[in-house]
Amino acid sequence: MADDSTSTSTSVLFTYVAPFLGVLLIAVGIGGAVPGGYALVQDELRDCGVPTIAVESPERTAELVDDGGPRMTRLSFEELSPAEQEGFTEALAAPRNEAHVSGAFPNRPAFTNGTIVSYEGERYYATVVAENTCFEAPPLGFPLGVFAIALGVVGVLTPPAYRKLVALERQAGEDRKRT
């Protein structure tokens, strides 16, 4: 009789508890592996840490600063760093008037607050519209997440393996009785 209750508790453990814990481990593993994996490849996927600037047309700039508009830092195109100049000219040519500033950005505070840039005899309002910050994840998030997923898969696959082992044990018992 004691053997039967042990068998029942073992059966419940392998049939219900192990798969439930396996599913929980898979869920927790996904929660660690996905952000950890993204943090590893984000530099190749987008401009991580590279701000985006927008440049308004001379007409829109006039609306913003004429007639007592806010006082802003004024810069000439020549005062901008090469990276700022490249981003500025790319933004002028872009359909949405936005571009990334990849490289040295010494005038970042002025661009963050909004600045007027004089370029080819016109005034342009320019500002940072996106910081494009990098996603931070714990260094062990990805490997621990993958390990938890693998361990969870083992837990989910425990019932079929348990049933197979029980069937083999019964088969062996029947074979011993026959001989």
Side-chain angles (χ1 to χ4, degrees), residues 71-87:
R71 295 197 40 86
M72 291 179 227
T73 305
R74 296 177 185 269
L75 301 168
S76 68
F77 183 76
E78 293 75 27
E79 292 177 88
L80 303 178
S81 72
E84 292 169 336
Q85 289 178 352
E86 183 180 342

Side-chain angles (χ1 to χ4, degrees), residues 159-175:
Y162 175 71
R163 285 191 290 272
K164 185 70 172 172
L165 287 173
V166 168
L168 287 172
E169 185 179 313
R170 285 186 186 145
Q171 181 73 27
E174 289 174 9
D175 288 346

Side-chain angles (χ1 to χ4, degrees), residues 52-89:
T52 303
I53 62 168
V55 178
E56 296 290 343
S57 68
E59 297 80 25
R60 178 73 178 130
T61 301
E63 290 174 19
L64 293 171
V65 297
D66 289 348
D67 300 326
R71 295 197 40 86
M72 291 179 227
T73 305
R74 296 177 185 269
L75 301 168
S76 68
F77 183 76
E78 293 75 27
E79 292 177 88
L80 303 178
S81 72
E84 292 169 336
Q85 289 178 352
E86 183 180 342
F88 183 85
T89 55

